[in-house]
Amino acid sequence: GAVVSQHPSWVICKSGTSVKIECRSLDFQATTMFWYRQFPKQSLMLMATSNEGSKATYEQGVEKDKFLINHASLTLSTLTVTSAHPEDSSFYICSARGREPGYTFGSGTRLTVV
Amino acid sequence: SQELEQSPQSLIVQEGKNLTINCTSSKTLYGLYWYKQKYGEGLIFLMMLQKGGEEKSHEKITAKLDEKKQQSSLHITASQPSHAGIYLCGADPLYNQGGKLIFGQGTELSVKP
């Protein structure tokens, strides 16, 4: 079945630095990628939607300059958290959609900013 | 905008007991997804429902979508510790136009041996 590989699975970074999270679709072409954020004991909140080769569409309240999304190819999308602060600490998870119906989720990245 | 309300928010059951989780939408559901998540991990796809009155089963888990397509239920029969986790319902608010999936708040299930 469809698989999305997400890296890293966890990362600790210092305040002020940037962190890049990658999601790769391994056996299908991901025409659309979705990025979610999840706080402890809460549900997934959609941050942005990206289509290959075009700019990402951000949900209301999500800072596009802080959370840079790149979807340069049909198999790779990246989320870069720029100038990270402790409040950015969270669980980030991507989801990919190909030409077939359905969504495939990555395994998530736990970001801790110290 | 479409919102999904899940109930209960948390559930503790004795192993072997049956349980039901509900997902109610403020608008008609054209595609309803059920996922399971272990805290801090990715989502495991369970089932997708599209048609009013549709019912699907996989092992001991059954999901239904009501005729009006505004409510779905997930029923687990003879629960086991392996069923423990967070259950999330998700829906595409634009029905295949935007493609994004929004989620309910989740239901945390604990199964006591």
Side-chain angles (χ1 to χ4, degrees):
Chain A
V3 176
V4 171
S5 176
Q6 185 170 346
H7 293 278
S9 56
W10 61 270
V11 59
I12 301 172
C13 71
K14 291 185 177 180
S15 287
T17 61
S18 296
V19 173
K20 181 184 283 188
I21 302 169
E22 287 189 354
C23 272
R24 292 180 184 274
S25 56
L26 298 185
D27 47 7
F28 68 103
Q29 294 185 329
T31 53
T32 307
M33 281 274 198
F34 306 93
W35 287 93
Y36 293 85
R37 183 175 182 176
Q38 186 179 33
F39 290 106
K41 302 293 185 180
Q42 293 188 25
S43 188
L44 279 71
M45 297 300 296
L46 181 66
M47 298 173 67
T49 301
S50 73
N51 292 294
E52 184 263 337
S54 59
K55 289 185 179 180
T57 302
Y58 290 82
E59 295 296 305
Q60 193 172 9
V62 178
E63 298 176 61
K64 61 180 180 181
D65 294 331
K66 180 163 190 63
F67 298 100
L68 300 179
I69 292 172
N70 184 281
H71 193 167
S73 77
L74 284 170
T75 58
L76 174 64
S77 178
T78 61
L79 167 68
T80 302
V81 183
T82 62
S83 187
H85 291 284
E87 57 265 30
D88 297 325
S89 298
S90 190
F91 186 67
Y92 294 88
I93 191 166
C94 65
S95 172
R97 192 169 190 183
R99 292 183 173 81
E100 298 295 323
Y103 303 81
T104 304
F105 284 82
S107 53
T109 297
R110 177 151 308 283
L111 169 64
T112 302
V113 185
V114 297
Chain B
S1 62
Q2 184 167 37
E3 293 184 354
L4 297 175
E5 288 283 331
Q6 271 184 253
S7 62
Q9 290 189 16
S10 64
L11 195 53
I12 302 173
V13 299
Q14 200 69 37
E15 182 176 358
K17 295 294 185 184
N18 303 335
L19 63 107
T20 300
I21 298 167
N22 293 302
C23 178
T24 302
S25 171
S26 56
K27 296 183 180 181
T28 301
L29 293 162
Y30 291 101
L32 189 286
Y33 296 77
W34 281 101
Y35 289 90
K36 179 186 174 185
Q37 183 188 29
K38 291 283 188 182
Y39 179 66
E41 298 181 11
L43 274 66
I44 301 168
F45 172 74
L46 296 175
M47 275 167 276
M48 177 198 169
L49 304 166
Q50 281 187 301
K51 300 176 184 177
E54 188 175 10
E55 179 176 321
K56 288 185 178 178
S57 293
H58 178 67
E59 297 181 344
K60 294 185 177 180
I61 301 176
T62 300
K64 299 178 185 179
L65 182 61
D66 74 341
E67 289 290 345
K68 292 183 178 181
K69 299 200 295 183
Q70 283 194 275
Q71 184 167 17
S72 178
S73 61
L74 187 80
H75 184 78
I76 299 177
T77 305
S79 59
Q80 300 169 355
S82 60
H83 287 128
I86 301 166
Y87 289 82
L88 294 156
C89 65
D92 175 359
L94 297 178
Y95 182 50
N96 224 26
Q97 294 179 37
K100 60 184 180 182
L101 206 57
I102 62 166
F103 288 93
Q105 317 96 303
T107 296
E108 187 170 9
L109 172 64
S110 300
V111 180
K112 288 189 172 181

